[in-house]
Amino acid sequence: MERVSKVYRSVRAMDNVSFEVSRGSIFAIIGPSGCGKTTTLRVIAGLEIPDSGRIYIGGRDVTYEKPYERGAVMVFQNYALWPHMTVFDNVAYGLKIRRRRLGLSRADIERRVRGVLELVGLAGLENRYPHQLSGGQQQRVALARALAVEPRVLLLDEPLSNLDAKLRIRMRSELKRIQREAGITMIYVTHDQEEAMSLADRIAVMNAGKILQIGTPEEIYRKPRNLFVALFLGRTSAITGKYLGMDGRYARISIGGQILIGTPMEDLSGEEEAVAVIRPEDLEVVDEAKSQPYALSGRVIFTMYLGHSRQAIVDIGGGARISITVSPRRSLGERVTIQYSPDDILIYRIGDWRYLLQE
């Protein structure tokens, strides 16, 4: 995809979007609702025509080709199965309408349908109807129907959103297995960051029609390019403080009378304020009697029991609060010392992202 834009009246659903997807890989697009994720899939599928830019599939320009000509198949959020057709007929449907163009015999269609049903773990259910299947089975029928026509790229729009939490987790591993065994290129849209991190080889973070960052799951998670990406991924605490300057390669900010030292992710020169982004797993509550080179002190003002641990909110002064995982023995009102590594504390300019801190 090269510099693609799509405008609906005054809304820029896609704003100069560009990315490449390696053959045989999973590329995830994540972002908040209304950011342009589904529009991007629909443009690739040929269901929408871009206002500018080009779409390439397998090195061929397909920008103005019909959907059935470009080799991209989309699996929709609601599966869109025919209720009056059996599993076999639902999966065979795309092959039957392409039969003449592909030169397929009845035997070819039956062989291909049974092959993909075996791949997705539905062998033996050919004669059932959609209403006789569980949600996970219906999702796999929709996937099998798309795989049957052997597309160059498979487009999935929030395919697991209708499943319960346990089934979603199980289907993630199933999807990855199917994708690897089929060797198919997959573009996967979701608002679930954990889903994208567990499935994708590379991730694009999107907001307001723009791609803000593309990278591996680890790159996106550990080195967010800006404050939006940092706050969108995972559980974080965002603390605003006064920027005091650099200490070697680290930045120093004042928060509630304490000094926090972290890694600057942007040029902070001339800034009066900065934002520290902190993940709970990068913090540790330690014995206050020990000498800690990088530590903050605070009071536990909220706890939530999780069995093996408690999720706590710690007030470190000046209205700043940090989310942290503590042992079950920690109690409300207790004063604690929190140790951290400056490499794990990410510091950003506020810039145009101030509204994120008010949500």
Side-chain angles (χ1 to χ4, degrees):
M1 178 174 290
E2 188 176 281
R3 302 177 67 84
V4 172
S5 293
K6 179 67 180 178
V7 180
Y8 296 106
R9 296 183 181 178
S10 60
V11 177
R12 296 189 71 85
M14 297 177 68
D15 190 354
N16 207 30
V17 172
S18 298
F19 59 79
E20 293 183 6
V21 181
S22 300
R23 181 176 296 177
S25 68
I26 302 178
F27 184 85
I29 305 174
I30 63 175
S33 297
C35 73
K37 305 185 299 294
T38 296
T39 299
T40 301
L41 281 195
R42 291 179 64 84
V43 165
I44 296 171
L47 303 177
E48 302 282 354
I49 302 299
D51 296 312
S52 62
R54 315 298 294 182
I55 309 293
Y56 298 92
I57 296 178
R60 190 174 91 248
D61 187 343
V62 299
T63 308
Y64 299 108
E65 287 190 0
K66 295 179 175 62
Y68 60 83
E69 295 175 333
R70 59 180 63 196
V73 176
M74 190 162 172
V75 176
F76 296 93
Q77 186 174 351
N78 63 359
Y79 312 145
L81 300 179
W82 296 106
H84 63 289
M85 291 184 182
T86 63
V87 167
F88 184 95
D89 289 334
N90 263 287
V91 175
Y93 182 77
L95 294 172
K96 288 178 179 178
I97 63 175
R98 294 172 172 84
R99 181 179 172 183
R100 290 185 178 179
R101 186 162 57 88
L102 298 177
L104 297 173
S105 66
R106 292 182 184 274
D108 293 331
I109 292 174
E110 181 168 352
R111 183 169 56 252
R112 196 179 290 189
V113 169
R114 295 192 183 280
V116 294
L117 287 176
E118 181 75 30
L119 178 65
V120 301
L122 292 178
L125 302 183
E126 294 88 348
N127 296 321
R128 291 194 184 181
Y129 289 87
H131 73 273
Q132 297 174 311
L133 304 175
S134 68
Q137 289 171 331
Q138 289 181 27
Q139 192 269 344
R140 281 184 275 180
V141 173
L143 187 60
R145 182 175 58 187
L147 291 171
V149 299
E150 299 180 349
R152 290 180 177 175
V153 58
L154 184 61
L155 310 171
L156 295 102
D157 186 13
E158 308 247 20
L160 307 183
S161 62
N162 294 329
L163 306 180
D164 63 61
K166 285 188 176 180
L167 187 54
R168 287 182 72 155
I169 293 172
R170 189 162 77 243
M171 284 306 301
R172 286 178 202 164
S173 58
E174 279 294 291
L175 266 178
K176 196 151 192 169
R177 175 190 65 80
I178 292 166
Q179 185 270 337
R180 292 288 186 256
E181 290 185 15
I184 196 166
T185 305
M186 185 183 291
I187 301 179
Y188 191 101
V189 155
T190 179
H191 66 275
D192 186 324
Q193 303 105 17
E194 186 177 302
E195 196 167 284
M197 301 276 283
S198 62
L199 278 171
D201 299 295
R202 293 169 69 234
I203 297 173
V205 182
M206 196 169 189
N207 185 49
K210 295 178 181 290
I211 297 289
L212 300 184
Q213 186 172 352
I214 297 176
T216 65
E218 185 175 1
E219 288 170 345
I220 295 287
Y221 189 79
R222 302 307 312 182
K223 296 181 180 179
R225 188 172 296 165
N226 57 50
L227 188 57
F228 180 91
V229 177
L231 296 181
F232 185 75
L233 288 173
R235 293 184 296 115
T236 58
S237 300
I239 304 173
T240 303
K242 182 179 180 181
Y243 174 58
L244 301 177
M246 299 296 293
D247 182 1
R249 64 188 181 92
Y250 297 122
R252 300 168 68 246
I253 62 175
S254 173
I255 299 171
Q258 303 187 73
I259 304 300
L260 180 65
I261 298 175
T263 302
M265 302 302 289
E266 301 172 289
D267 179 19
L268 299 172
S269 59
E271 293 292 311
E272 293 185 356
E273 284 186 301
V275 180
V277 174
I278 307 170
R279 300 191 187 279
E281 67 267 24
D282 294 328
L283 304 174
E284 181 183 6
V285 174
V286 296
D287 186 348
E288 193 172 1
K290 294 180 181 179
S291 175
Q292 306 301 335
Y294 300 107
L296 298 167
S297 63
R299 183 173 60 88
V300 178
I301 61 171
F302 174 82
T303 64
M304 184 165 51
Y305 184 66
L306 301 176
H308 62 285
S309 64
R310 286 184 185 272
Q311 191 68 32
I313 303 295
V314 178
D315 187 336
I316 62 172
R321 297 175 176 182
I322 294 176
S323 176
I324 185 171
T325 301
V326 298
S327 67
R329 64 185 175 84
R330 298 291 177 180
S331 59
L332 199 65
E334 182 180 358
R335 292 203 64 83
V336 294
T337 298
I338 302 169
Q339 185 177 351
Y340 65 89
S341 167
D343 292 318
D344 296 327
I345 308 299
L346 309 181
I347 300 182
Y348 297 87
R349 291 184 284 108
I350 294 180
D352 296 329
W353 305 114
R354 187 175 295 276
Y355 73 93
L356 295 172
L357 307 175
Q358 298 169 349
E359 294 182 347

